[in-house]
Amino acid sequence: MTEFPSIPAMFELSGRTVVVVGSASGLGQASALGIADAGARVVCADLDEEGAQQTVDLITERGGTAEATAVDVTSTESVAAVVAAHAEADALVMTPGLNVRKRLLTTTDEEFDRVIDINLKGTYRLMRGFGTRMAERGRGSIVTFASFRALVVEPGQGLYAAAKAGVVQLTKTLASELGPSGVRVNSILPGPFETPLTEQIKSDEEWWNAYANKAALARWGQLPEIAGPVLFLVSDASSFVTGHSLLVDGGWMAQDGRFTPRV
């Protein structure tokens, strides 16, 4: 019979290095804090290096180990430099995102290029760089951040939804290609979380409440609630999980939500 490891040990990350891109705020910061709490040394990477350092300070205050570094996911050279500096990384988590909330016919080529470059091509650059190093070592875990908008849309979300759907397909492809090398690649699809990206919705009470009421849990997600799913996919607890799209959406996709019948 195969020896059964302890469950806490499966989530333990001591001795491992995890690069978290987008860690200056929001879901990236929450992910970095959770990963550090599990024992990993966290490389907090962000275009906002000052914000990344603030996350490092929070981790240090909690007894963890971390360092900050600057990265521009729209620059192949910048991504390559971070990969070279942290080629030993055991896991990669990438959360950067940009949304332009406009109806599709009013968007511009420049807006399209910007949304795709950050959400999709930025993810591609990071996957390619770190994936190459992990495949050479025969181990590693890559966690991309897509969105429930990769599956369902609303007016004004076209560019973002298209980019995030692309992230899901890139994730599945890399999982297929790197599986034989022992590298796992999975995607998290957050639902409505209160982050800097959703400030526009928060400023409109009707819009904000409509989002809360659509989810089965009837509320918005709080930042610490992303840490558990991220830790699961980074750690050995998910050692037989790859190519998966994990919804963290408060039950948004589980129900219709437009009407509650009297039954």
Side-chain angles (χ1 to χ4, degrees):
M1 180 178 177
T2 302
E3 182 180 353
F4 198 91
S6 73
I7 295 300
M10 294 172 71
F11 287 92
E12 176 64 42
L13 297 178
S14 294
R16 301 189 190 184
T17 297
V18 180
V19 177
V20 182
V21 181
S23 53
S25 63
L27 297 175
Q29 184 179 77
S31 298
L33 291 171
I35 290 168
D37 283 351
R41 180 177 75 89
V42 182
V43 177
C44 297
D46 204 291
L47 183 63
D48 176 8
E49 190 172 8
E50 182 178 346
Q53 183 58 52
Q54 291 173 357
T55 301
V56 168
D57 293 342
L58 288 173
I59 289 172
T60 303
E61 290 171 5
R62 297 160 71 97
T65 304
E67 65 178 271
T69 189
V71 65
D72 178 359
V73 300
T74 68
S75 165
T76 298
E77 293 74 20
S78 178
V79 169
V82 171
V83 172
H86 303 284
E88 81 290 354
D90 299 285
L92 167 69
V93 178
M94 38 192 153
T95 69
L98 174 72
N99 196 354
V100 174
R101 290 188 173 88
K102 295 173 64 176
R103 288 180 178 265
L104 203 59
L105 300 185
T106 67
T107 57
T108 66
D109 286 0
E110 291 75 19
E111 289 168 338
F112 179 93
D113 291 343
R114 183 68 172 159
V115 171
I116 294 298
D117 202 16
I118 290 177
N119 292 284
L120 182 58
K121 197 171 182 180
T123 297
Y124 158 74
R125 292 181 179 102
L126 289 162
M127 294 170 77
R128 181 180 61 186
F130 282 100
T132 298
R133 299 304 181 94
M134 291 178 184
E136 292 170 351
R137 296 198 311 273
R139 68 181 190 279
S141 175
I142 295 174
V143 180
T144 66
F145 265 60
S147 168
F148 68 138
R149 290 299 175 210
L151 306 177
V152 292
V153 301
E154 68 180 8
Q157 297 271 22
L159 300 184
Y160 184 74
K164 291 303 189 180
V167 169
V168 169
Q169 293 303 95
L170 283 182
T171 300
K172 291 179 180 179
T173 301
L174 197 62
S176 176
E177 294 177 353
L178 296 190
S181 299
V183 180
R184 298 183 299 106
V185 191
N186 294 286
S187 187
I188 287 181
L189 281 59
F193 273 81
E194 185 174 354
T195 72
L197 201 63
T198 58
E199 281 298 316
Q200 182 182 1
I201 300 175
K202 190 174 184 178
S203 65
D204 185 324
E205 185 177 1
E206 182 181 8
W207 196 359
W208 180 266
N209 291 337
Y211 265 52
N213 293 333
K214 171 62 176 73
L217 294 180
R219 63 177 177 83
W220 281 69
Q222 300 301 306
L223 291 178
E225 293 178 302
I226 204 68
V230 171
L231 177 57
F232 169 67
L233 292 178
V234 166
S235 71
D236 292 343
S238 61
S239 58
F240 199 56
V241 179
T242 196
H244 181 60
S245 299
L246 176 59
L247 279 163
V248 186
D249 66 347
W252 181 292
M253 295 292 294
Q255 64 176 14
D256 187 290
R258 291 173 295 179
F259 175 70
T260 300
R262 292 183 293 273
V263 294

